[in-house]
Amino acid sequence: MKFLKTHYGRAINVILNDTVNIPNPAGLGMTGTDVGGTDQLRDNTNPFTTNLLGAIVVNTTNGTIANIIGFVSSSTLTLDADIFSTGGEGYSIYNSENNQGCSLYIPAQTPEDLKVLTVGGDVIQFKLCGDLNASTILPVNVLRVLNDGTKLSNLIALW
């Protein structure tokens, strides 16, 4: 029997994106500093391997996110988006496997639309989510919060 989870052990700020899932913080594998490159993650101090293909990288300096789609060398990975505009930006790489989805914490704010991808593969738009006077939790197993169709801000993913 399914039950509503009311206690969470992990959390991460949600980055709205139409193609990249919310990374589970338990899957954090590597952190470092990018040295710059268009549509690439480059770091001469962390040895990259082909095992990182399909992983999620977050630019921790500007709060952008991308999927790792190619291995160039032990110091360079190809990304599906140009999230590093200059060198010296921090990054975190998360394993994308075994993501069972998360619930969403919606801080008190004017009700707006929220569009998500569920773990079942459904894309659904919730109309007027949120409450101006209280925080809420959306009890849906979410993989991704879509930028196109979401007006809410400051969401937090909970596991």
Side-chain angles (χ1 to χ4, degrees):
M1 183 167 123
K2 297 284 183 176
F3 63 94
L4 177 62
K5 185 173 181 177
T6 58
H7 294 84
Y8 302 92
R10 302 299 304 252
I12 193 169
N13 291 321
V14 172
I15 300 170
L16 305 181
N17 195 285
D18 294 334
T19 61
V20 184
N21 291 341
I22 302 166
N24 185 329
L28 179 62
M30 182 182 294
T31 61
T33 304
D34 175 70
V35 296
T38 303
D39 294 331
Q40 293 182 331
L41 170 59
R42 294 178 49 221
D43 185 348
N44 298 323
T45 61
N46 268 335
F48 299 139
T49 67
T50 56
N51 291 343
L52 294 173
L53 291 172
I56 299 167
V57 61
V58 174
N59 180 324
T60 57
T61 302
N62 66 19
T64 53
I65 193 167
N67 289 306
I68 298 173
I69 58 170
F71 175 82
V72 177
S73 69
S74 62
S75 64
T76 306
L77 298 169
T78 304
L79 308 177
D80 68 351
D82 189 15
I83 64 171
F84 295 101
S85 57
T86 63
E89 296 173 297
Y91 69 85
S92 295
I93 297 176
Y94 297 87
N95 181 332
S96 62
E97 297 176 11
N98 299 320
N99 190 340
Q100 301 297 314
C102 59
S103 293
L104 294 177
Y105 169 83
I106 304 169
Q109 60 188 290
T110 302
E112 293 283 358
D113 293 349
L114 172 67
K115 191 172 184 180
V116 302
L117 172 67
T118 69
V119 294
D122 303 314
V123 173
I124 187 75
Q125 185 164 29
F126 295 95
K127 296 288 190 177
L128 300 175
C129 283
D131 185 325
L132 187 58
N133 299 310
S135 301
T136 58
I137 292 180
L138 181 70
V140 175
N141 282 339
V142 173
L143 283 179
R144 184 182 310 157
V145 177
L146 302 168
N147 189 43
D148 180 31
T150 297
K151 304 282 190 247
L152 292 171
S153 60
N154 300 313
L155 303 172
I156 298 174
L158 302 170
W159 283 266

